[in-house]
């Protein structure tokens, strides 16, 4: 039925949406073959669509941020100590939960309870959390941490958010975006 909807509907917006939903569906069902089929069709037929561009950012088989791949090279300043640079070398030797978030993001705030529980339970020699803020100003994070959630772990601020260097390197299309490395 869904494929018929794509093939027989004359409305381009509906066709793009149907293909993008097929890509998402096959992605989450781990059906690589069909995901690629509809991903390629979406790129071929609607390369300039905003929806296609979002699908590329989130579901491209060429994404750098994927299970089993090395973390791309990055560098960002520690928000609490601007003399300290956080990069791939800094992260070596531990498991890290990199949490890309913002104070204005309701789902991000909803995750705070779980981040604090994870930090309390696992933080130490082998595990740590790095929160990278996509706020407008670093002061927003500092102010937020004075409230209910003190977030007693490492923090950084991503200049330019989604369109900045960190947003691009980590291929961020939405937040929260947690990554366990």
């Amino acid at each position: 039925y869904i494929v018929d909807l794509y093939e027989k509907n004359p409305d381009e917006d509906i066709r793009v949406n149907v293909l993008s939903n097929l890509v998402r569906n096959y992605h989450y069902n781990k059906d690589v073959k069909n995901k690629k089929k509809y991903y390629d069709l979406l790129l071929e037929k609607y390369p300039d669509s905003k929806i296609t561009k979002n699908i590329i950012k989130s579901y491209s088989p060429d994404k750098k941020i994927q299970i089993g791949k090395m973390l791309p090279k990055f560098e960002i300043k520690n928000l609490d100590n601007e003399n300290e640079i956080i990069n791939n070398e800094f992260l070596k030797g531990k498991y890290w939960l990199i949490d890309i978030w913002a104070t204005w993001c309701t789902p991000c705030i909803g995750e705070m309870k779980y981040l604090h529980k994870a930090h309390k339970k696992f933080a130490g020699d082998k595990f740590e959390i790095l929160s990278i803020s996509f706020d407008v100003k670093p002061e927003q994070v500092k102010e937020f941490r004075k409230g209910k959630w003190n977030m007693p772990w490492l923090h950084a601020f991503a200049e330019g958010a989604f369109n900045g260097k960190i947003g691009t390197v980590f291929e961020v299309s939405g937040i929260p975006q947690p990554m366990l490395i």
Side-chain angles (χ1 to χ4, degrees), residues 6-9 11-19 46:
Y6 164 73
E7 291 173 349
K8 295 178 180 169
N9 196 303
D11 187 307
E12 184 173 299
D13 288 339
I14 291 174
R15 293 168 63 94
V16 169
N17 275 295
V18 168
L19 287 177
Y46 310 101

Side-chain angles (χ1 to χ4, degrees), residues 133-176:
S133 167
F134 271 30
D135 282 288
V136 175
K137 298 176 188 171
E139 293 78 26
Q140 292 169 294
V141 177
K142 291 177 182 180
E143 192 60 34
F144 178 87
R145 290 173 62 202
K146 292 177 185 175
K148 181 178 180 180
W149 305 111
N150 65 344
M151 304 171 72
W153 51 78
L154 201 57
H155 291 271
F157 174 75
E159 193 77 40
F162 294 95
N163 298 317
K165 191 171 184 177
I166 291 296
T168 302
V169 167
F170 288 132
E171 301 172 323
V172 181
S173 59
I175 57 175

